[in-house]
Amino acid sequence: MNTGSIRFRLTVWYAGLLAGLIVLFGVAVYLGLNHYLERTLSETLSQQAKQIGEAWLGEVGVSGESYVSEEINEHLSPKVNGRFVRITRADGSVMYLSDEPENKRFDPTRVPLLKEHIGQESLREEHLTPDSELKIFALPFNAKDTSKYVIEVGASNQEIESVLHGLLLAIGIGLPAIVGIAIAGGYLLMRRALKPVDEITQSAERITSRNLSERLPVAKTGDELERLSVGLNRMIARLDESFQHINRFSADASHELRTPLTILRGELEAAAQQPQITPELRETLGSALEETERLSRIVESLMAISRLDAGEARVDHAHFDLGELTSSTTEQMRLLAEDKNIVLRCEAEHEVSVEGDRARLKQVIVNLLDNAIKYTPARGYVGVKVSATNSRAMLEVSDNGVGIPPEALPHIFERFYRVDKARSRQMGGAGLGLSIIKAIVTAHGGQVRVESVEGSGSRFVVELPVAGKTLE
Amino acid sequence: MRLLLIEDEEKVARFIVKGLEAERFAVDVAFEGDRGLELAQTYSYDLIILDLMLPGLSGTDVLRLVRLRNERVPVLVLTARDALSDKVQHFEIGADDYLTKPFAFAELLVRVKALLRRGAVNRANVLRIADLEIDRLTQQVKRAGQRVELTGKEYALLEYLMTNVGRVLSRTMIIEHVWDLSFDGATNIVDVYVRHLRNKIDEPFERKLIRTVRGVGYTIGGEEGL
């Protein structure tokens, strides 16, 4: 997963926000509920104490103490309801004490007796054991026969705590679940919303200098993404225009260069044909002719590259065997290698069918081999290999020659780029051979790359689509 | 032999005329398409050399109009446009050969002679220069009566030189003839093969037959100088 993507970041952000809000909400609910339950319990306790007093204890002089006990047991059922009930006489002796509740939350006999008779109602908490807390409401009460009592009604705090515990549990389970659903839902939603962006990206990836006439798909949604693709399309149109301009310019320039070159060459040849000229002058004219020749080659190469870039290259669409072409071309070049005592080895798999301009692709092989032989010292090694996978044909030319310094590697396919200015000029190159290779290979839907270690050799790899397939 | 040159660049026209006249051709020159067409339709030329970029009527139109009259005169097209599609188009209209500027004059001459079916095509089975002899049927080569073993390419190179005795052949012409144009440009394959060929047929003998003409190419036989 790409943690830098907008989709991921937005999802994380708002899942975090949602989790934070839920936690905040949970805390508020928890505190509110706690407060509410405490108050309700206090009120219930005070009501029950008053009920005991008014309903039964008031008439204790008439009805007798055992009647009061029975009534309390019958109507309030402290044993079942988990209530603590105690009635204390004015002398501190206990008139009534409820039994231990069924849930055994507390032991009523362990609740300490009141030190003295209290004059007014009070609410207190008794800690019986570390985990059992009793909230007790005490009510002083005067029976009709003026005897004084204190009625105490209590309940375990655990009742409140178990409710709050339940709430915490609900929040604890609910929160991750909700956040999880929000992340999943949000991610899917974002993916849906950002799908057009992916499509735009993919289409934009496909557009290179040779298919600038293509445009990105524009979804008529009226949203930001439509504006984005329209804006990108305008930019591509401007690029298209300037590329065409450049291509037209270089075609015109090459064309305009040819006429003076023709004249120059013709005049020099004519001058060199004069029988009466001195050998020195003949040498000079010959040298000038050589330079004219080189200039012509540069113009030819530039013209070829600009035509390839303009997409005019693939006039010829033949199917042929790259392996066969490579091994036959290698044989034709063998003498160049032998001349320098270079071992030239060719391992070409046959029946590697590619489609395109045979002469152009042969030029690629020739140029690669020529380079390899030129930049490999005597008694070196040059290897050629052709292999194929399901969809791609690979042509590799490797040598153990001088190699290419790492800082030059990214530039070697650029026009007029020279690794070693002095040496390559001496070899008669113009820094266009690799540019032509790249232009030809690109025009055939392929790729060319290079690996090299300075001082120990280079390896050029050309990948072409097998006939009827495309490189992914 | 009378040739018509239709070329608007005066200087280009001048050296072509000069060179062709040195080869004993009579040459008429037209600097515009219309004038060229007029001349072509008035006189009976043995060959027309036609530039494509012309003021007025374009070279393509001239070619079309010349062919419209069903003229069988050979037409050699000269142009600065070298796109394959251009070549194909003009061959379809009826051009007989195509030469891209800038060209070596020697190349123009070889093509002109080939179109006129004169000189360039030596059909003899056995070719000889001095004491060098090649047999085109058996592909055997002898110098001073001794057999010389040549590889296929060396033989092809020698045969090409021998069929053009005394004429300077440019590297491009040799490549086009002995290999194919994929080798043009960067490689020094021609020089390497010529050196190997020299080692076999010239090195052991006093009289050297293969000569380098600096800036132009190679030639066999012929007089010293160019």
Side-chain angles (χ1 to χ4, degrees):
Chain A
M1 183 176 297
N2 177 10
T3 54
S5 72
I6 291 185
R7 194 191 301 164
F8 181 85
R9 290 206 318 255
L10 275 180
T11 308
V12 165
W13 266 108
Y14 98 106
L17 199 68
L18 190 68
L21 282 175
I22 292 175
V23 167
L24 220 65
F25 176 73
V27 168
V29 167
Y30 183 88
L31 292 176
L33 189 65
N34 189 19
H35 181 74
Y36 171 78
L37 288 174
E38 298 253 356
R39 219 180 61 200
T40 312
L41 186 61
S42 311
E43 274 170 15
T44 310
L45 294 177
S46 101
Q47 269 168 20
Q48 283 177 345
K50 282 171 185 153
Q51 187 191 0
I52 290 170
E54 280 154 19
W56 308 304
L57 197 58
E59 304 295 333
V60 71
V62 183
S63 52
E65 288 181 352
S66 61
Y67 165 77
V68 174
S69 305
E70 278 166 25
E71 285 298 307
I72 291 171
N73 283 343
E74 191 178 327
H75 288 100
L76 292 178
S77 324
K79 192 176 171 182
V80 179
N81 291 330
R83 284 286 186 273
F84 164 79
V85 179
R86 185 167 66 182
I87 301 172
T88 316
R89 300 187 191 89
D91 59 1
S93 62
V94 174
M95 185 200 112
Y96 170 84
L97 178 63
S98 58
D99 292 330
E100 191 180 8
E102 280 171 349
N103 58 19
K104 307 220 185 300
R105 284 243 170 86
F106 55 89
D107 181 1
T109 58
R110 296 185 59 177
V111 178
L113 289 170
L114 288 168
K115 301 277 186 308
E116 56 197 26
H117 187 78
I118 53 167
Q120 55 189 20
E121 57 187 62
S122 70
L123 189 65
R124 71 177 196 281
E125 282 180 2
E126 291 284 356
H127 294 267
L128 300 180
T129 58
D131 60 338
S132 163
E133 209 182 74
L134 218 51
K135 192 188 264 296
I136 298 173
F137 181 81
L139 176 73
F141 184 80
N142 296 335
K144 289 201 175 129
D145 59 359
T146 71
S147 54
K148 289 185 175 173
Y149 298 90
V150 174
I151 305 168
E152 286 167 294
V153 180
S156 167
N157 262 351
Q158 276 174 354
E159 281 177 31
I160 295 176
E161 271 161 19
S162 73
V163 172
L164 290 175
H165 201 252
L167 177 71
L168 272 185
L169 201 69
I171 293 176
I173 294 172
L175 178 82
I178 290 173
V179 172
I181 291 169
I183 288 176
Y187 193 77
L188 289 177
L189 214 70
M190 290 305 290
R191 202 166 72 178
R192 232 181 96 122
L194 292 178
K195 197 161 169 258
V197 175
D198 277 345
E199 283 165 7
I200 291 172
T201 311
Q202 278 170 15
S203 312
E205 291 280 6
R206 279 198 301 272
I207 293 181
T208 64
S209 62
R210 67 189 58 261
N211 57 358
L212 275 175
S213 53
E214 284 182 23
R215 292 293 179 268
L216 305 175
V218 177
K220 296 262 175 243
T221 48
D223 60 8
E224 292 87 339
L225 293 180
E226 185 189 341
R227 287 212 305 278
L228 176 66
S229 31
V230 169
L232 283 174
N233 276 343
R234 289 207 189 106
M235 186 184 79
I236 295 164
R238 287 195 294 276
L239 278 177
D240 190 11
E241 204 176 304
S242 57
F243 258 86
Q244 280 180 6
H245 187 77
I246 291 167
N247 281 335
R248 213 168 34 237
F249 170 78
S250 58
D252 289 348
S254 303
H255 176 259
E256 287 306 318
L257 283 168
R258 278 185 172 161
T259 306
L261 272 173
T262 310
I263 296 165
L264 201 54
R265 187 164 176 171
E267 302 281 19
L268 287 169
E269 281 182 356
Q273 266 175 333
Q274 303 297 319
Q276 68 273 26
I277 61 172
T278 63
E280 290 79 36
L281 184 54
R282 199 183 298 285
E283 271 299 292
T284 310
L285 290 172
S287 164
L289 272 168
E290 276 175 9
E291 294 311 302
T292 325
E293 173 81 31
R294 196 165 82 186
L295 202 51
S296 311
R297 275 212 302 273
I298 294 174
V299 172
E300 293 305 319
S301 303
L302 278 180
M303 194 79 171
I305 292 173
S306 85
R307 272 205 314 277
L308 286 163
D309 284 353
E312 283 176 30
R314 303 179 66 191
V315 182
D316 201 7
H317 269 280
H319 282 246
F320 59 89
D321 183 352
L322 182 68
E324 186 274 320
L325 179 69
T326 305
S327 47
S328 61
T329 309
T330 308
E331 282 318 304
Q332 290 181 330
M333 306 275 289
R334 187 166 293 282
L335 191 72
L336 287 181
E338 283 171 1
D339 205 48
K340 285 180 77 179
N341 280 320
I342 289 171
V343 177
L344 177 59
R345 194 165 296 145
C346 178
E347 295 169 42
E349 228 175 81
H350 276 216
E351 276 155 40
V352 179
S353 180
V354 295
E355 186 186 354
D357 191 325
R358 190 185 159 102
R360 284 284 189 204
L361 287 172
K362 182 167 180 178
Q363 206 183 343
V364 168
I365 303 167
V366 168
N367 281 4
L368 283 177
L369 272 174
D370 189 57
N371 262 343
I373 293 169
K374 260 183 199 157
Y375 294 108
T376 300
R379 285 175 291 282
Y381 165 85
V382 173
V384 190
K385 201 174 147 199
V386 174
S387 56
T389 62
N390 196 24
S391 66
R392 61 183 63 198
M394 306 244 285
L395 164 70
E396 294 175 48
V397 176
S398 49
D399 62 62
N400 63 355
V402 295
I404 301 159
E407 67 273 12
L409 272 179
H411 306 290
I412 59 161
F413 291 106
E414 289 169 14
R415 296 173 199 186
F416 296 117
Y417 185 83
R418 291 160 183 276
V419 174
D420 179 340
K421 311 259 181 301
R423 189 177 50 212
S424 54
R425 191 166 290 132
Q426 183 198 330
M427 302 250 189
L432 286 169
L434 288 172
S435 312
I436 290 181
I437 289 175
K438 188 172 184 188
I440 294 172
V441 171
T442 313
H444 282 82
Q447 292 157 1
V448 57
R449 60 174 197 273
V450 59
E451 294 152 17
S452 184
V453 177
E454 195 175 8
S456 63
S458 309
R459 179 166 164 267
F460 285 83
V461 181
V462 171
E463 285 183 17
L464 292 167
V466 163
K469 308 255 173 89
T470 50
L471 281 191
E472 63 275 358
Chain B
M1 287 279 176
R2 193 168 187 189
L3 312 185
L4 172 62
L5 171 66
I6 310 174
E7 163 69 67
D8 64 323
E9 284 287 337
E10 225 168 296
K11 287 183 170 179
V12 176
R14 200 172 65 204
F15 81 75
I16 292 177
V17 170
K18 215 165 159 185
L20 287 174
E21 278 172 354
E23 293 282 326
R24 310 199 199 302
F25 288 107
V27 188
D28 291 344
V29 185
F31 295 112
E32 298 118 37
D34 307 69
R35 172 77 183 136
L37 183 65
E38 204 182 307
L39 283 172
Q41 288 172 345
T42 313
Y43 303 99
S44 166
Y45 289 102
D46 295 296
L47 180 108
I48 297 174
I49 301 172
L50 177 65
D51 183 38
L52 287 184
M53 303 272 275
L54 294 170
L57 208 54
S58 80
T60 312
D61 292 331
V62 172
L63 177 60
R64 201 175 274 126
L65 290 166
V66 165
R67 284 288 174 250
L68 205 63
R69 291 200 161 188
N70 201 18
E71 301 228 21
R72 287 315 313 154
V73 53
V75 177
L76 170 62
V77 167
L78 281 186
T79 180
R81 287 198 299 244
D82 70 342
L84 193 57
S85 52
D86 274 341
K87 289 189 188 176
V88 171
Q89 190 205 342
H90 289 98
F91 279 127
E92 277 170 359
I93 296 175
D96 296 279
D97 204 352
Y98 203 101
L99 194 54
T100 310
K101 290 178 184 176
F103 51 87
F105 181 77
E107 190 170 356
L108 175 71
L109 196 60
V110 166
R111 287 178 191 269
V112 164
K113 288 188 174 176
L115 283 175
L116 293 170
R117 304 195 194 293
R118 199 191 97 173
V121 191
N122 189 337
R123 289 286 170 216
N125 284 337
V126 178
L127 304 175
R128 271 190 205 90
I129 305 167
D131 55 352
L132 175 67
E133 178 182 306
I134 68 169
D135 185 330
R136 298 167 98 180
L137 290 179
T138 59
Q139 304 207 336
Q140 281 190 358
V141 179
K142 283 182 188 167
R143 176 107 203 232
Q146 287 175 310
R147 274 281 296 276
V148 181
E149 293 299 331
L150 297 183
T151 65
K153 286 288 175 209
E154 285 163 358
Y155 175 80
L157 174 60
L158 181 61
E159 188 191 287
Y160 186 46
L161 287 169
M162 297 267 294
T163 50
N164 290 284
V165 171
R167 197 166 292 140
V168 184
L169 303 177
S170 72
R171 287 177 181 78
T172 304
M173 290 163 81
I174 294 172
I175 279 178
E176 197 175 4
H177 200 269
V178 180
W179 286 272
D180 58 66
L181 276 174
S182 308
F183 288 92
D184 199 13
T187 71
N188 59 337
I189 195 160
V190 173
D191 306 282
V192 173
Y193 269 90
V194 168
R195 196 166 72 238
H196 280 248
L197 189 58
R198 275 178 163 157
N199 284 343
K200 289 184 178 174
I201 67 160
D202 267 350
E203 196 58 36
F205 303 94
E206 197 182 323
R207 186 172 169 201
K208 311 298 178 200
L209 294 173
I210 299 173
R211 279 193 305 115
T212 306
V213 180
R214 193 165 175 203
V216 186
Y218 296 99
T219 182
I220 198 163
E223 69 273 36
E224 290 298 313
L226 194 115

